[in-house]
């Protein structure tokens, strides 16, 4: 019997309106909400305030890539990698500042590594080996089904030889690790194509560098003709059954190549596309779906010409699937408001709407409110053209061609499938009778259903039976920041869409755990108390953990920025001033906003929104009416604060950077009203960048020396001052023209610098006067943060998890 809105509202102590909003936004049912733990209900309610998180994430990354004129340099990432390769071609010492730089500076190109740890000299991969990350595509070798490849949004191409029991990156120095799709040549499984860049963002924030190909399933190389702005966002690749034609759907249109070298590509359709598919039996037939415009096309001449399909009206993204039993049947998953299924009986020329109802006959909101981000459909059963699986936040199965949809996964249950579905691929031997195995790619990695007919058939949620997680060292977690406690060895990190995570060295890389859900951001560890850690949710909502990050939020009382769950009203509320950060309440802060624990005082936190906020009692007990007190100590300057630094040994010296490149300094930062001065704006040696300030690092022993790094694909992204900001020197002339996101100064050998960029880590032995590529590790993906645990450097990447290297033996 169906559970009513009123029954769910009463059982969860929330309003009927909230029940309806949760179902619609999360693409779920009342039955799933009724089974949802109370902490998860509160978290889901909080997310209602941020209905478009994927777009906000995309904009956040995009802002860090802009040049001074506000534009992103075309082909910037590819050019930066080419510059890094140029550095690698020069003679280099085996080690630079204690970090391996390889034999003659050449990168490792030895094919799949034995583990995700890469076993590189001195570098140790920390994981997570059990969390995963956004996976946009999966392919399987038909001759050897245990051999699979998966592509991640920030961590590149991965390979398993044992059906997902162990994964390894195919090449951590692939020219672009932002992968949006993968396709295999049906006529030759050793030939595969990977499209880079993620088109599925309203703002196209994660840029790629064309299409990569392998012809031996081992070595990958870029297709030169695709390294153009037209191929910065490749959403889907299709290869004809005979292997002759390759079609690439991009944000600028559909491109076709028919020559074996793939040296020539012709635009055959001028609309932004999210999907393209060849008929599984006829290489002359193909279909394509719009990225945003609510349309579909079909071709009858191998993709040379295209006609607009009829049906609709539609809006938003359109994903398509041929029915394996009868390819004249084509299904469309149309974004609309919360998702609709349509079906064609004539190979995609025209479509008619299906019911798209729940088993109880109510409208099924299977895509929730973000069908432009997670939207996938499959009809690959060769025995049943009415068997359809669709994915939004959760997965749904239909046995009547899309008229009715039954939920078969539960996003909040760890034993089920992670949220946000992107890819569905059948086992090569799937026959609908003896083999019904299907694989799924989502924001949590790769999962398997051993029997599609019975998985998720429990009488009520959560749906866990029949699901297997395959995130075994598939290390593609996208971290923003990290922190660690030297005594306990615990490390925490804020991860995109995977919450605030903790690594306990006694448990190992396969047992990272979430101690706070949602998107994670900046982090801090109390050096005097191993049980106290700090993290944040989006827009500066800072939370505190006091049990060593061992348990997740259970009462909704861990926010110290002022938000709390009101159990009387069943809603999230905010405390009165001064127990809240007004910029957090009003979302007047960056999506991932900076905050830091004063290195000289574990009770003081500085947090940046429009203003700079300070609390001097960060450990104050937290209640619905009290907690840490906050005051603004720096007024707004017309742009959000993007970086904060406090001098070690002198809490009065505080540096602040803004998203427009402005930098300020105070020498009385602990005063009630500190005096601030903008630095670098004028003078004979000014600080010239006028773009996103990504970080500030103060010299460990000299508060007048500070390093400031910037975003944008520009040359001058790292600057230093030795006189408190009066004069500045550009240290980035020998570094690739890419965003520099982090810098670390060796705590004992302060002439040794380590620089985290969009294309990997670089090191200097002469305080930045010269640089040598650290091409032996950890990877060439974005290094978003660097921090020390004594003299062990921890490298936090946005796409490959975390690494550490012991630099205590440097003389």
């Amino acid at each position: 019997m169906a559970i009513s809105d009123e029954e769910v509202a009463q059982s969860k102590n929330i309003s009927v309106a909230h029940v309806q909003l949760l179902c619609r936004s999360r693409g779920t049912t009342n039955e799933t909400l009724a089974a949802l733990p109370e902490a998860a209900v509160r978290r889901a309610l909080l997310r209602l305030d941020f209905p478009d998180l994927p777009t906000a994430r995309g904009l956040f990354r995009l802002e860090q890539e802009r040049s001074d004129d506000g534009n992103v340099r075309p082909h910037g990432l590819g050019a930066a990698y080419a510059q890094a390769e140029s550095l690698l071609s020069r003679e280099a010492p085996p080690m630079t500042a204690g970090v391996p730089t390889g034999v003659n500076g050449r990168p490792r190109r030895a094919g799949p590594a034995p583990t995700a740890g890469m076993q590189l000299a001195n570098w140790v991969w920390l994981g997570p080996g059990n969390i995963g990350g956004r996976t946009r595509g999966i392919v399987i070798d038909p001759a050897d089904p245990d051999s699979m490849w998966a592509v991640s949004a920030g961590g590149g191409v991965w390979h398993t030889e044992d059906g997902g029991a162990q994964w390894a990156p195919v090449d951590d120095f692939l020219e672009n690790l932002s992968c949006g799709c993968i396709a295999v040549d049906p006529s030759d499984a050793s030939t595969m194509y990977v499209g880079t860049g993620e088109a599925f963002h309203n703002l196209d924030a994660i840029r790629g560098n064309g299409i990569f190909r392998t012809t031996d399933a081992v070595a990958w190389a870029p297709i030169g003709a695709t390294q153009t702005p037209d191929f910065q966002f490749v959403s889907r690749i299709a290869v004809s059954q005979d292997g002759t034609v390759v079609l690439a759907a991009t944000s600028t249109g559909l491109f076709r190549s028919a020559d074996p070298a793939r040296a020539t590509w012709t635009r055959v359709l001028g609309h932004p596309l999210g999907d393209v598919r060849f008929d599984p039996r006829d290489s002359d037939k193909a279909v394509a779906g719009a990225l945003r415009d609510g349309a579909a096309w079909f071709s009858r001449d191998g993709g040379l010409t295209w006609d607009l399909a009829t049906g609709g009206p539609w809006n938003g993204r359109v994903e398509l699937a041929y029915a394996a039993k009868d390819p004249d049947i084509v299904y469309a998953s149309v974004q609309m408001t919360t998702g609709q299924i349509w079906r064609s009986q004539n190979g995609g020329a025209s479509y008619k709407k299906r019911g798209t109802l729940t088993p109880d006959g109510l409208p099924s909101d299977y895509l929730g409110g973000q069908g432009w981000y997670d939207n996938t459909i499959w009809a690959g059963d060769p025995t049943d053209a009415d068997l359809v699986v669709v994915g939004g936040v959760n997965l749904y199965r239909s046995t009547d061609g899309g008229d009715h949809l039954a939920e078969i996964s539960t996003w909040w249950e760890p034993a089920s499938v992670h949220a946000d579905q992107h890819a569905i691929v059948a086992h090569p031997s799937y026959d609908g009778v003896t083999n019904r195995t299907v694989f799924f790619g989502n924001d949590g990695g790769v999962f398997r259903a051993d029997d599609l007919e019975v998985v998720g058939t429990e009488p009520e949620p959560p749906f866990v039976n029949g699901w297997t997680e395959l995130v075994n060292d598939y290390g593609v977690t996208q971290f923003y920041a990290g922190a660690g406690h030297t005594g306990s060895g615990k490390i925490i990190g804020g991860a995109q869409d995977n919450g605030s995570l903790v690594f306990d060295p006694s448990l190992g890389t396969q047992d990272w755990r979430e101690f706070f859900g949602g998107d994670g951001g900046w982090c801090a560890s109390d050096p005097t108390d191993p049980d106290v850690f700090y993290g944040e949710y989006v827009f500066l909502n800072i939370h505190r953990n006091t049990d060593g990050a061992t348990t997740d939020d259970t009462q909704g009382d861990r926010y110290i920025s002022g938000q709390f769950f009101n159990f009387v009203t069943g809603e999230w509320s905010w405390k009165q001033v001064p127990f809240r950060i007004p910029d957090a309440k009003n979302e007047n802060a960056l999506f991932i906003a900076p905050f830091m624990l004063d290195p000289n005082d574990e009770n003081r936190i500085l947090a940046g929104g429009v203003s700079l906020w300070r609390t001097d009692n960060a450990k104050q007990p937290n209640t619905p009416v009290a907690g840490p007190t906050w005051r603004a100590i720096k007024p707004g300057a017309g742009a959000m604060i993007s970086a904060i630094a406090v001098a070690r040994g002198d809490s009065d010296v505080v540096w602040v950077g803004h998203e427009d490149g402005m930098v300020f300094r105070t020498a009385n930062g602990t005063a009630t009203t500190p005096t601030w001065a903008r630095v670098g704006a004028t003078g004979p040696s000014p600080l010239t960048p006028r773009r996103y300030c990504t970080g500030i690092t103060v010299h460990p022993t000299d508060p007048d020396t500070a390093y400031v790094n910037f975003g944008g694909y520009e040359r001058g992204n790292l600057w230093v001052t030795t006189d408190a900001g009066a004069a500045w020197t550009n240290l980035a002339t020998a570094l690739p023209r890419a965003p520099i996101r982090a810098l670390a100064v060796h705590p004992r050998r302060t002439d040794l610098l380590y620089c985290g960029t969009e294309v990997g880590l670089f090191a200097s032995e002469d305080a930045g006067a010269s640089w040598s590529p650290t091409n032996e590790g950890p990877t060439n993906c974005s290094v978003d943060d660097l921090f020390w645990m004594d003299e062990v450097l921890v490298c936090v990447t946005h796409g490959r998890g975390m690494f550490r290297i012991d630099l205590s033996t440097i003389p």
Side-chain angles (χ1 to χ4, degrees), residues 10-74:
Q10 184 175 8
S11 68
K12 300 302 178 185
N13 193 32
I14 61 178
S15 68
V16 170
H18 277 148
V19 171
Q20 295 168 346
L21 281 171
L22 285 174
C23 283
R24 194 156 54 246
S25 66
R26 300 298 291 173
T28 192
T29 63
N30 281 353
E31 286 69 28
T32 293
L33 286 184
L36 194 63
E38 288 190 10
V41 171
R42 294 193 292 273
R43 189 173 299 157
L45 282 175
L46 181 60
R47 188 164 179 167
L48 290 176
D49 294 332
F50 312 104
D52 207 358
L53 287 176
T55 295
R57 295 185 200 120
L59 177 60
F60 175 67
R61 299 299 282 191
L62 179 67
E63 290 301 314
Q64 299 168 51
E65 297 178 349
R66 296 187 191 275
S67 298
D68 291 354
D69 62 3
N71 297 315
V72 178
R73 185 179 295 277

Side-chain angles (χ1 to χ4, degrees), residues 151-479:
V151 295
S152 74
V157 186
W158 288 68
H159 180 225
T160 177
E161 296 179 344
D162 51 18
Q166 188 77 34
W167 293 87
V170 303
D171 189 343
D172 273 311
F173 298 92
L174 201 67
E175 291 186 28
N176 192 290
L177 298 184
S178 175
C179 299
C181 58
I182 185 170
V184 63
D185 185 335
S187 68
D188 179 7
S190 62
T191 297
M192 287 175 278
Y193 300 84
V194 165
T196 61
E198 266 200 301
F200 304 108
H201 284 280
N202 284 344
L203 296 158
D204 289 344
I206 305 177
R207 293 172 183 266
N209 189 27
I211 297 173
F212 290 75
R213 178 175 64 169
T214 179
T215 57
D216 59 7
V218 175
W220 294 78
I223 298 175
T226 66
Q227 293 187 297
T228 70
D230 281 330
F231 291 86
Q232 286 185 331
F233 306 102
V234 182
S235 52
R236 199 64 45 79
I237 297 172
V239 186
S240 61
Q241 290 301 304
D242 57 13
T244 301
V245 177
V246 177
L247 298 174
T250 81
S251 60
T252 62
L254 182 65
F255 292 82
R256 182 181 189 272
S257 178
D259 64 297
R262 307 304 175 201
T264 302
W265 293 79
T266 304
R267 192 197 313 263
V268 292
L269 197 57
H271 297 268
L273 295 181
D275 196 14
V276 63
R277 309 278 175 174
F278 268 108
D279 186 308
R281 299 180 190 175
D282 188 342
S283 294
D284 286 335
K285 296 179 180 179
V287 292
L291 184 62
R292 305 182 186 97
D293 298 334
W297 294 264
F298 65 98
S299 174
R300 297 292 186 258
D301 54 10
L304 278 169
T305 61
W306 294 81
D307 294 307
L308 184 66
T310 59
W314 294 348
N315 62 64
R317 178 178 163 191
V318 177
E319 285 288 303
L320 302 168
Y322 280 99
K325 178 177 174 57
D326 180 5
D328 283 337
I329 297 175
V330 181
Y331 286 96
S333 175
V334 186
Q335 178 184 340
M336 304 301 283
T337 302
T338 55
Q340 289 182 6
I341 296 176
W342 292 63
R343 184 168 69 180
S344 170
Q345 300 285 147
N346 53 10
S350 62
Y351 292 84
K352 292 184 178 180
K353 186 179 180 300
R354 304 297 289 172
T356 321
L357 303 172
T358 69
D360 298 313
L362 301 173
S364 174
D365 301 322
Y366 71 95
L367 290 182
Q370 54 186 53
W372 57 270
Y373 174 69
D374 40 28
N375 182 354
T376 185
I377 186 166
W378 176 90
D381 191 306
T383 68
D384 187 355
D386 286 332
L387 178 59
V388 180
V389 178
V390 291
V393 175
N394 280 327
L395 290 162
Y396 289 77
R397 178 180 51 224
S398 173
T399 58
D400 56 10
D403 275 337
H404 296 85
L405 299 173
E407 200 169 21
I408 59 173
S409 73
T410 307
W411 91 86
W412 50 263
E413 171 54 56
S416 187
V417 177
H418 197 281
D420 300 322
Q421 313 305 317
H422 306 300
I424 306 174
V425 177
H427 190 284
S429 300
Y430 184 107
D431 59 12
V433 181
T434 62
N435 185 314
R436 291 190 289 257
T437 301
V438 181
F439 298 86
F440 301 83
N442 50 51
D443 273 9
V446 182
F447 293 75
R448 185 184 72 227
D450 287 322
D451 190 336
L452 187 62
E453 183 175 318
V454 301
V455 70
T457 54
E458 293 101 319
E460 59 185 27
F463 302 112
V464 299
N465 293 338
W467 291 112
T468 302
E469 178 196 272
L470 300 179
V471 186
N472 302 305
D473 280 348
Y474 179 57
V476 297
T477 305
Q478 293 175 294
F479 282 110

Side-chain angles (χ1 to χ4, degrees), residues 81 563 805:
Y81 184 83
Q563 194 166 32
I805 187 167

